[in-house]
């Protein structure tokens, strides 16, 4: 930062918002979601931290905006907290696919396509490991030390399902009803979550 730079309100609403988004993307890519603070993002954007909250609310909402997601991922993930761990697989497939097929599905899939083709996997990796899987990993950590592996294995199944249904549009997956997909694919996720796998802690 030059000696003449200072925190405060930048001229023009869109310029301030864009500066915050640019700083957020850079910071999230550099250190990940957990280690990127609102204050550090505000400093990089040369604005007061209050402006970050004013434009974007929470850090999760800022992350969603930085990734151009049409919905705050916490809105989706919160509903899994009450699901018994032995039913997580089917519940996750049903909820995630329902969102893909909803009106917000098209921009959501476009955002993931953009992340995957960006050439820089850091934002996508941070989103997957530090947001999507963060609350699931401790719930499936049995035996202790295997939670990370179980959650990532399940994520590979969901990513394959997304690519097959929405990007490649492979039949019959592309047109299979959500409930049928949940019943068919859910047990595979559940095996990764709670099944007897040859995992080492």
């Amino acid at each position: 930062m030059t000696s003449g730079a200072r925190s405060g309100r930048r001229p023009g609403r869109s310029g301030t918002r864009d500066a915050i988004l640019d700083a957020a993307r850079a910071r999230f890519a550099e250190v990940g979601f957990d280690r990127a603070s609102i204050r550090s993002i505000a400093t990089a954007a040369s604005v007061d931290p209050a402006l970050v909250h004013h434009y974007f609310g929470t850090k999760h909402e800022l992350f969603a905006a930085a990734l151009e997601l049409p919905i705050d991922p916490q809105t989706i993930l919160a509903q899994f907290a009450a699901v018994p761990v032995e039913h997580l697989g089917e519940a996750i497939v049903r909820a995630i696919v329902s969102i893909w097929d909803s009106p917000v599905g098209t921009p959501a899939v476009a955002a993931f396509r953009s992340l995957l083709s960006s050439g820089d996997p850091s934002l996508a990796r941070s989103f997957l490991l530090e947001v999507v899987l963060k609350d699931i990993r401790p719930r499936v950590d049995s035996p202790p030390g295997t939670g990370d592996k179980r959650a990532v294995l399940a994520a590979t199944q969901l990513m394959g399902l997304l690519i097959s249904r929405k990007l490649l549009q492979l039949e019959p997956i592309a047109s299979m009803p959500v409930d049928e997909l949940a019943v068919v694919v859910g047990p595979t996720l559940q095996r990764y979550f709670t099944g007897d796998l040859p995992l080492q802690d």
Side-chain angles (χ1 to χ4, degrees):
M1 185 181 298
T2 63
S3 59
R6 62 185 179 86
S7 296
R9 187 177 298 274
R10 300 171 71 102
R13 182 182 189 279
S14 61
T16 301
R17 190 178 191 280
D18 290 344
I20 294 170
L21 284 176
D22 288 344
R25 291 188 188 103
R27 190 65 178 156
F28 286 137
E30 180 183 2
V31 301
F33 176 82
D34 284 342
R35 294 175 60 193
S37 67
I38 292 291
R39 182 171 296 278
S40 68
I41 291 168
T43 298
S46 297
V47 301
D48 191 277
L51 276 180
V52 180
H53 291 293
H54 171 73
Y55 284 120
F56 298 102
T58 67
K59 188 166 76 164
H60 278 98
E61 290 170 321
L62 173 60
F63 195 57
L67 270 59
E68 299 182 349
L69 298 177
I71 185 173
D72 182 353
Q74 286 299 102
T75 303
I76 306 167
L77 300 175
Q79 62 186 291
F80 301 140
V83 176
V85 69
E86 62 269 19
H87 299 306
L88 269 178
E90 189 171 323
I92 288 175
V93 172
R94 181 173 284 106
I96 296 298
V97 175
S98 294
I99 290 170
W100 293 344
D101 292 350
S102 73
V104 301
T106 299
V109 172
F112 279 114
R113 182 188 290 114
S114 177
L115 277 178
L116 293 175
S117 63
S118 67
D120 182 359
S122 54
L123 277 178
R125 184 168 55 243
S126 181
F127 175 70
L128 184 64
L129 297 179
E130 299 179 40
V131 177
V132 176
L133 300 177
K134 183 175 183 178
D135 292 335
I136 290 177
R137 287 179 294 180
R139 297 187 63 192
V140 299
D141 189 33
S142 179
T146 62
D148 286 354
K149 294 178 182 179
R150 288 182 179 277
V152 172
L153 283 169
T156 65
Q157 187 71 30
L158 286 174
M159 291 303 296
L161 186 57
L162 169 64
I163 292 171
S164 299
R165 185 175 178 88
K166 292 300 182 181
L167 303 186
L168 300 180
Q169 297 184 352
L170 294 179
E171 294 292 356
I173 299 299
S175 59
M176 190 175 290
V178 173
D179 286 340
E180 184 176 353
L181 269 178
V183 171
V184 173
V185 180
T188 300
L189 260 71
Q190 194 62 49
R191 172 176 171 268
Y192 287 144
F193 286 146
T194 59
D196 185 13
L197 301 177
L199 298 176
Q200 298 179 348
D201 57 20

